[in-house]
Amino acid sequence: MIFDWFYRLFSHDLAIDLGTANTLVYVKGKGIVANEPSVVAVQRDSRGVRTVKAVGRAAKEMLGRTPGSIEAIRPLKDGVIADFELTEKMLKYFIAVAHNHRAIVRPRAVICIPYGITEVEKRAVRESAESAGCTSVHLIEEPMAASIGADLPIHEPSGNMIVDIGGGTTEVAVISLLGIVFSKSVRIGGDKMDEAIVHYLKKRFNLLIGERTAEQIKIVIGSAFPEEEIRTMQVKGRDLVAGIPKTIEVTSEEIREAIQEPINVIVEAIRYALEKTPPELAADIVDKGIILVGGGAMIRNLDILLREETGLPILVAENPLTAVVLGSGRVLDNLKLLREVTT
Ligand SMILES: Nc1ncnc2c1ncn2[C@@H]1O[C@H](COP(=O)(O)OP(=O)(O)OP(=O)(O)O)[C@@H](O)[C@H]1O
Ligand SMILES: [Mg+2]
């Protein structure tokens, strides 16, 4: 016991938001020490054996730009672990970054996982963190961590609705008294919007662009509800007919049309969750409104669209991209909360 206390003095307990698009790491006493894309670049030899070449930002730079033998892979896709081996390698990398690549002294870890992943996936995450040197590993579900990070009064017997629009999934959850009362998850998020933009430009302009360009377009001129001012952007890609590079101008109206389908799925998920919420808690939500977190919450005018569609107050959290990891970090500091909200 006394040794535990002693080790803890020198250890850096950490919290990790293992997202499909971005992984964030929080170290107790230091704050957020890593915030990088969840991408691993691997090289395959002639026998098919994979070696990791880069992780995180360096690996994302390689997406769509790699020579034959190197592949940039996203080990988590659509909110589930698509590649266990690479998820483990990625986790190890981030844990090493958190400790500045020094040997680590028995850190505790709180790892945030997508809501509803299977027991097998949970075990894989836990074992990866343990083999990366963490002594006690606690798993927390994303909506719970997000609610703590967004400062929702989850200790009270009153309903809070939180919507986390990530890269791979959108999770709608109703939380009361430290428990998830209802949750609905759809495998639609920012990634599907990017894909929709690629598809739209191909169909409409015969222009082929990569997913990274599509993401840029979405961030710069994407919107969910008409704006007063129409914005435009020059987009470079390859003309599918002539086969050569070309530049076209796209408008925010066109991009809104392009991403309408995935946005509608998100709206429907929220409607469904509202219908399924027990009446007392629904009444609380009418008063308090819906809180949006996740990178997808930053799509321009999404709050206005949701207000129109639901008639409820909509609030985008102050820190949509970091709420989950900050919430997980806060759990590290509070043993009682740690016991109550992690598995
Ligand atoms: N300003 C912005 N406007 C629109 N979308 C944005 C903006 N900034 C980031 N995004 C999008 O947010 C998504 C990433 O969000 P986030 O980091 O919350 O996902 P994640 O937690 O990794 O994924 P998940 O929660 O599904 O596992 C990406 O699709 C990204 O393109
Ligand atoms: Mg997330």
Side-chain angles (χ1 to χ4, degrees):
M1 199 60 201
I2 186 97
F3 285 112
D4 268 358
W5 169 84
F6 179 76
Y7 278 123
R8 205 121 288 147
L9 267 183
F10 296 98
S11 151
H12 296 301
D13 290 345
L14 53 103
I16 300 179
D17 168 11
L18 189 60
T20 51
N22 298 299
T23 296
L24 285 81
V25 185
Y26 170 100
V27 172
K28 200 167 165 178
K30 284 193 183 161
I32 296 172
V33 296
N35 180 354
E36 297 191 48
S38 309
V39 180
V40 183
V42 295
Q43 185 158 35
R44 224 179 260 276
D45 68 13
S46 53
R47 284 169 303 147
V49 177
R50 302 186 298 181
T51 335
V52 173
K53 287 285 158 193
V55 182
R57 197 161 296 115
K60 186 172 183 186
E61 287 292 314
M62 296 179 183
L63 262 185
R65 287 207 181 109
T66 51
S69 63
I70 298 182
E71 234 180 310
I73 298 175
R74 293 175 52 173
L76 294 112
K77 209 149 177 46
D78 303 332
V80 295
I81 298 177
D83 189 320
F84 283 88
E85 189 195 337
L86 292 185
T87 300
E88 173 168 347
K89 297 233 157 92
M90 192 171 78
L91 255 183
K92 283 189 172 161
Y93 165 84
F94 282 112
I95 291 171
V97 167
H99 295 100
N100 242 327
H101 301 278
R102 278 180 318 207
I104 45 176
V105 194
R106 300 173 60 174
R108 276 185 315 173
V110 170
I111 300 183
C112 184
I113 49 170
Y115 183 72
I117 67 172
T118 62
E119 285 305 317
V120 174
E121 291 176 306
K122 282 186 192 171
R123 197 170 333 122
V125 170
R126 197 186 290 279
E127 284 170 4
S128 306
E130 282 166 357
S131 75
C134 297
T135 34
S136 59
V137 180
H138 306 267
L139 304 181
I140 181 170
E141 284 169 325
E142 215 168 354
M144 184 58 79
S147 305
I148 297 169
D151 280 324
L152 299 191
I154 51 167
H155 287 93
E156 294 168 13
S158 137
N160 298 280
M161 182 175 277
I162 187 143
V163 179
D164 180 353
I165 307 169
T169 55
T170 295
E171 281 164 357
V172 185
V174 177
I175 293 180
S176 174
L177 273 178
L178 291 179
I180 297 175
V181 178
F182 177 81
S183 152
K184 163 91 183 152
S185 172
V186 287
R187 293 188 172 181
I188 297 278
D191 294 346
K192 282 284 186 301
M193 297 179 206
D194 302 346
E195 284 167 28
I197 292 173
V198 172
H199 186 72
Y200 181 90
L201 295 188
K202 199 190 285 176
K203 226 171 94 191
R204 176 93 189 250
F205 300 106
N206 273 318
L207 186 78
L208 187 65
I209 60 164
E211 277 177 24
R212 294 188 59 204
T213 306
E215 182 182 28
Q216 275 309 312
I217 301 172
K218 172 187 72 180
I219 291 175
V220 178
I221 62 170
S223 63
F225 194 79
E227 304 168 274
E228 274 178 15
E229 180 200 354
I230 295 176
R231 285 161 309 121
T232 60
M233 184 174 165
Q234 304 287 321
V235 175
K236 292 196 197 83
R238 179 155 56 88
D239 187 316
L240 280 170
V241 180
I244 49 171
K246 79 169 174 185
T247 304
I248 60 162
E249 188 175 85
V250 293
T251 67
S252 47
E253 300 265 272
E254 286 162 348
I255 299 307
R256 183 154 38 75
E257 190 186 322
I259 61 175
Q260 198 166 16
E261 231 179 87
I263 298 262
N264 281 344
V265 176
I266 295 172
V267 172
E268 282 313 312
I270 295 174
R271 273 186 200 285
Y272 180 81
L274 287 168
E275 274 170 31
K276 296 285 172 193
T277 303
E280 295 295 339
L281 298 177
D284 300 334
I285 295 166
V286 169
D287 293 335
K288 293 195 282 189
I290 301 173
I291 313 293
L292 307 184
V293 297
M298 288 155 80
I299 292 272
R300 211 175 265 107
N301 285 356
L302 182 61
D303 50 345
I304 300 181
L305 174 76
L306 292 176
R307 212 167 288 143
E308 289 284 318
E309 295 282 339
T310 62
L312 298 175
I314 309 288
L315 287 155
V316 180
E318 213 173 284
N319 48 3
L321 283 165
T322 53
V324 168
V325 80
L326 292 178
S328 312
R330 207 174 296 165
V331 170
L332 266 182
D333 294 328
N334 185 331
L335 276 182
K336 184 161 173 282
L337 194 59
L338 183 77
R339 273 194 293 271
E340 280 169 332
V341 299
T342 62
T343 55

